């Protein structure tokens, strides 16, 4: 379950916030799990602490929803709450998130994944809602992102550049 949360944390953080180094210095400086607790037998709730350096205008991640797919079937779903990043700021911001294993996925499937750590056939579909202080709102959708790619900071940064650039247009 903790490994799944790590995947969710990477997906939420790196795709929705991190590495915006190509966008005038916006970047995630750290990410850690502040708290984690089970939510029933197949779910987790967590609070992530996201360190951000933002030399740009105020940005609000208004919500993140998505699914992790394994072999073409939905394996888990996740949600990320709201986080506001003030303009021209450096700080650590809490991001509430949760995840749940999909129906039909058992604890044995989780154990196999944890033991093998084989994420090659896993993909992510995700919607990220972004709002800028000036009133611009946009939902950016991603389909079939390989989980193994998201674990690479350079690839995750490229996805974030898309989020920021799409919002600015």
């Amino acid at each position: 379950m903790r490994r799944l949360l790590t995947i969710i944390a990477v997906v939420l953080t790196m795709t929705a916030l991190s590495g915006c180094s190509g966008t005038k210095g916006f970047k995630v400086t750290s990410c850690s799990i502040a708290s984690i607790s089970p939510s029933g037998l197949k779910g987790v709730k967590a609070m992530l602490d996201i360190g951000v350096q933002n030399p740009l205008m105020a940005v609000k991640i208004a919500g993140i929803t998505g699914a992790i797919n394994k072999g073409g079937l939905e394996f888990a779903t996740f949600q990320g709450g709201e986080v506001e990043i003030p303009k021209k700021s450096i700080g650590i911001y809490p991001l509430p998130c949760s995840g749940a294993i999909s129906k039909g996925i058992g604890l044995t499937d989780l154990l196999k994944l944890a033991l093998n750590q084989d994420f090659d056939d896993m993909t992510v579909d995700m919607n990220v809602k972004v709002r800028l202080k000036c009133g611009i709102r946009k939902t950016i959708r991603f389909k079939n992102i390989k989980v193994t790619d998201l674990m690479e900071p350079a690839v995750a940064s490229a996805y974030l550049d898309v989020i920021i650039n799409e919002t600015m247009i």
Side-chain angles (χ1 to χ4, degrees):
M1 193 63 83
R2 188 163 178 87
R3 184 68 180 167
L4 176 63
L5 182 63
T6 303
I7 292 171
I8 291 171
V10 168
V11 170
L12 291 175
T13 304
M14 297 301 285
T15 304
L17 293 175
S18 94
C20 205
S21 57
T23 311
K24 300 178 185 170
F26 185 107
K27 64 181 176 179
V28 170
T29 57
S30 65
C31 176
S32 62
I33 299 173
S35 65
I36 182 172
S37 62
S39 178
L41 291 175
K42 292 189 171 190
V44 292
K45 289 185 179 183
M47 183 64 71
L48 303 179
D49 282 339
I50 312 297
V52 176
Q53 177 180 338
N54 179 18
L56 304 171
M57 67 180 74
V59 175
K60 179 177 185 178
I61 304 297
I64 302 167
T65 58
I68 299 172
N69 304 303
K70 182 168 177 49
L73 300 173
E74 186 178 279
F75 188 79
T77 58
F78 60 88
Q79 301 82 37
E82 295 184 353
V83 62
E84 287 192 49
I85 303 164
K87 68 179 179 180
K88 299 181 182 178
S89 65
I90 297 173
I92 297 176
Y93 306 96
L95 174 65
C97 60
S98 62
I101 303 302
S102 298
K103 290 181 181 179
I105 304 297
L107 293 177
T108 55
D109 297 315
L110 282 177
L111 289 173
K112 286 179 190 175
L113 181 63
L115 291 174
N116 297 337
Q117 295 187 9
D118 180 17
F119 305 110
D120 291 335
D121 65 341
M122 296 183 80
T123 61
V124 175
D125 297 335
M126 179 171 44
N127 297 321
V128 180
K129 294 179 183 178
V130 181
R131 293 183 189 155
L132 300 179
K133 185 80 173 182
C134 62
I136 295 174
R137 298 175 185 204
K138 188 136 191 175
T139 299
I140 297 125
R141 292 174 172 76
F142 296 98
K143 291 270 190 201
N144 295 319
I145 303 169
K146 290 184 177 183
V147 169
T148 52
D149 289 347
L150 285 174
M151 293 179 177
E152 296 293 325
V155 175
S157 293
Y159 281 107
L160 184 58
D161 283 339
V162 169
I163 292 171
I164 297 296
N165 291 329
E166 285 287 318
T167 305
M168 299 294 186
I169 294 175

